[in-house]
Amino acid sequence: HGEELAETRANKTDMEADQAKLQALWDKTTARINTLTKEISDDQASIKNLVKAQQERVALRNEEHAQFLKTEADLTQGIEGVEMALKIMREYYSGKVASDNHGAATGASTGIVGMIEVVLSDMTKFLSELRSNEQEAQSEFVRETQENEVTRTGKEQDVKYKSKERVTREQTKSETRVDLDDAQEELDATNAYLAKVEERCIGKAETYRHRRDRIQAEIEGLKEALAILNTRYSLLQGETCHREVHA
């Protein structure tokens, strides 16, 4: 029974160690699932914000482009009008100078034509800058759109892979929970069996001590009885010798 008790206790120790490993795996898996769930939620929120920001950026770019087209059309029309006016003024003053042959006409034509030429130059320059700014704005819009697309695609891939991993982890967690329950049942059964083995072994040990003490007591009693008998025998022997002497 001593070997049985030692073996049962060793089995219990092994089971407790296995259960501890399963519990550690379950805790680690649960923690990973919680982390994945938060990361997936954060990534999905980021994707939603990226999509919203891109929609707003597209709307703004469309609005800017529409304004550019309108301004460009107005400027182009204005430039054409100024060019026409400049042509008319040049022809007019050219004819007037030729007919009048007077220096005042030449001075007037030079001043008015010069003013129109300055206006035409400013308008042409502004149109060029307007088109250049529109081109830069469109290039920046395309660059930002591509960057947002790359970021969004990356986060969508992260969500895909993390969701897949979470499914696997959830399965592992479920299987580990079953293993933990089974391990607990086995440990409970072992504890119950160990209690019975200990009860038998301890009971037998107590019975052995009781029998040993009883036998020891009996031996002590016999020793005391033997001592009494020896004493009485010595006394009787002494009395017999005394009687023989006096006789």
Side-chain angles (χ1 to χ4, degrees), residues 7 16 19 22 34 45 56-57 70 73-74 98 114 131 140 144 146 154 162 187 199 211 227 242-243 246:
E7 182 180 355
E16 288 174 340
Q19 187 183 46
L22 287 171
N34 293 337
E56 293 174 350
R57 187 72 184 87
K70 182 178 183 303
D74 291 342
R131 286 170 174 169
E140 180 68 14
E144 290 181 355
Q146 291 174 342
K162 289 175 182 177
L187 183 59
E199 183 180 359
R211 289 175 58 193
H242 180 72
R243 288 174 182 170
H246 286 289

Side-chain angles (χ1 to χ4, degrees), residues 48 134 151 218 223 226 241 245:
K48 183 178 180 180
E134 169 62 16
T151 301
E218 291 177 354
K223 286 181 178 180
L226 181 59
C241 293
V245 171

